[in-house]
């Protein structure tokens, strides 16, 4: 089983739709979690951290479920500019042990 | 957010040439820097973890003699692809981490390497 797993997609959704991605992790000792966004042919950029109590940043909501070992990202009112690959990142065993998921591709359609 | 730069952004070179890529953290000190490689339509693959003042830790399958990493200061790490071949053509991305209290890593803009 991979350390961090994501559905590669693509998720094709119409503008204005709500879409959610999950990411599962295998190491129960994982300590911190992040969502990154990567546009085509660009470097990943931090979208948001994921806190135990869940957190929201505008149209984006991140949640952590430690019992089931997954994190989620919810995007409301999708915009064309949200089209990108969303990478789940898990820190295990300290800040140097970082594992990336393979990413979930989102395509928002007009 | 923190700023990480990479230089050069593009390299086209002949087979057999060595290529050096620099990664700098511009507004913070990076205890640790990471080097990744990404082939088209594939995910980021960690190549090595570089700690300032010590030897890099390479991931399985990555040749340490081919991909030389130097992390001489808290703001600079370099990756040298020695005797590059066409199969080394890829998108090389570095990231820098401020350390245990710093949250997460920040990525450089990447370097596209094309070996002819």
């Amino acid at each position: 089983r991979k350390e961090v797993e994501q559905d590669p997609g693509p998720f094709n959704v119409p503008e204005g739709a709500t879409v959610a991605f999950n990411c599962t992790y295998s190491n129960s000792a994982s300590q911190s979690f992040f969502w990154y966004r990567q546009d085509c042919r660009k470097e990943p950029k931090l979208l948001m951290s994921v806190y135990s109590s869940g957190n929201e940043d505008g149209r984006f909501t991140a949640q952590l479920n430690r019992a089931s070992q997954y994190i989620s990202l919810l995007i409301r009112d999708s915009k064309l500019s949200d089209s990108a690959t969303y990478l789940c990142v898990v820190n295990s065993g300290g800040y140097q042990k970082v594992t990336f998921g393979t990413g979930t591709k989102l395509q928002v359609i007009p | 957010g923190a700023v990480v730069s990479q230089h050069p952004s593009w390299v086209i070179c002949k087979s057999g040439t060595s290529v050096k890529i620099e990664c700098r953290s511009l507004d913070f000190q990076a205890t640790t820097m990471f080097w990744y490689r990404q082939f088209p339509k594939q995910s980021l693959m960690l190549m090595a973890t570089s700690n300032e003042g010590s030897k890099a830790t390479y991931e399985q399958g990555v040749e340490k003699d081919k991909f030389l990493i130097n992390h001489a200061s808290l703001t600079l790490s370099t990756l040298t692809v020695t005797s590059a071949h066409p199969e080394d053509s890829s998108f090389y991305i570095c990231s820098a981490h401020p350390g245990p209290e710093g949250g997460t890593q920040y990525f450089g803009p990447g370097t596209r390497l094309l070996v002819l």
Side-chain angles (χ1 to χ4, degrees):
Chain A
R1 183 184 171 187
K2 289 183 183 177
E3 282 193 60
V4 178
E5 290 199 71
Q6 290 183 255
D7 181 342
F11 284 59
N12 297 313
V13 302
E15 262 187 296
T18 295
V19 62
F21 313 131
N22 279 348
C23 166
T24 58
Y25 59 95
S26 61
N27 187 345
S28 59
S30 299
Q31 298 161 355
S32 50
F33 310 87
F34 306 90
W35 283 103
Y36 279 75
R37 168 195 171 128
Q38 186 175 26
D39 292 288
C40 188
R41 301 171 71 84
K42 298 278 189 179
E43 78 277 18
K45 293 194 174 173
L46 179 64
L47 180 64
M48 58 196 303
S49 304
V50 185
Y51 302 123
S52 297
S53 54
N55 49 298
E56 191 174 303
D57 182 2
R59 298 181 293 109
F60 299 84
T61 301
Q63 300 230 312
L64 166 64
N65 185 316
R66 285 195 184 273
S68 301
Q69 294 182 203
Y70 73 87
I71 65 171
S72 63
L73 177 67
L74 179 81
I75 306 175
R76 289 182 298 278
D77 189 22
S78 299
K79 311 287 185 194
L80 294 177
S81 57
D82 294 334
S83 299
T85 295
Y86 290 84
L87 303 168
C88 163
V89 177
V90 177
N91 271 31
S92 306
Y95 71 96
Q96 294 191 354
K97 180 61 176 170
V98 175
T99 305
F100 277 79
T102 52
T104 297
K105 186 171 182 179
L106 171 66
Q107 186 70 47
V108 181
I109 305 164
Chain B
V3 180
V4 176
S5 70
Q6 254 183 269
H7 178 79
S9 54
W10 267 102
V11 181
I12 301 174
C13 67
K14 292 181 180 179
S15 188
T17 307
S18 290
V19 176
K20 186 175 181 180
I21 303 170
E22 290 187 351
C23 177
R24 292 181 187 272
S25 55
L26 299 184
D27 52 0
F28 66 99
Q29 292 187 327
T31 307
T32 302
M33 288 185 171
F34 302 89
W35 286 97
Y36 295 85
R37 182 167 53 179
Q38 187 174 35
F39 292 106
K41 299 187 179 181
Q42 294 188 23
S43 61
L44 282 172
M45 295 298 294
L46 179 65
M47 297 176 69
T49 302
S50 165
N51 291 304
E52 185 266 336
S54 63
K55 288 184 180 179
T57 302
Y58 290 82
E59 295 298 301
Q60 195 171 11
V62 178
E63 298 174 57
K64 62 180 181 181
D65 294 329
K66 180 168 181 64
F67 299 98
L68 303 178
I69 292 173
N70 184 287
H71 192 158
S73 78
L74 286 171
T75 59
L76 173 64
S77 176
T78 60
L79 168 68
T80 301
V81 183
T82 61
S83 187
H85 291 284
E87 59 266 27
D88 297 323
S89 299
S90 188
F91 187 40
Y92 291 85
I93 311 176
C94 75
S95 71
H97 200 297
E101 305 302 321
T104 188
Q105 56 187 295
Y106 297 90
F107 286 86
T111 296
R112 296 205 175 275
L113 172 63
L114 177 61
V115 185
L116 303 175

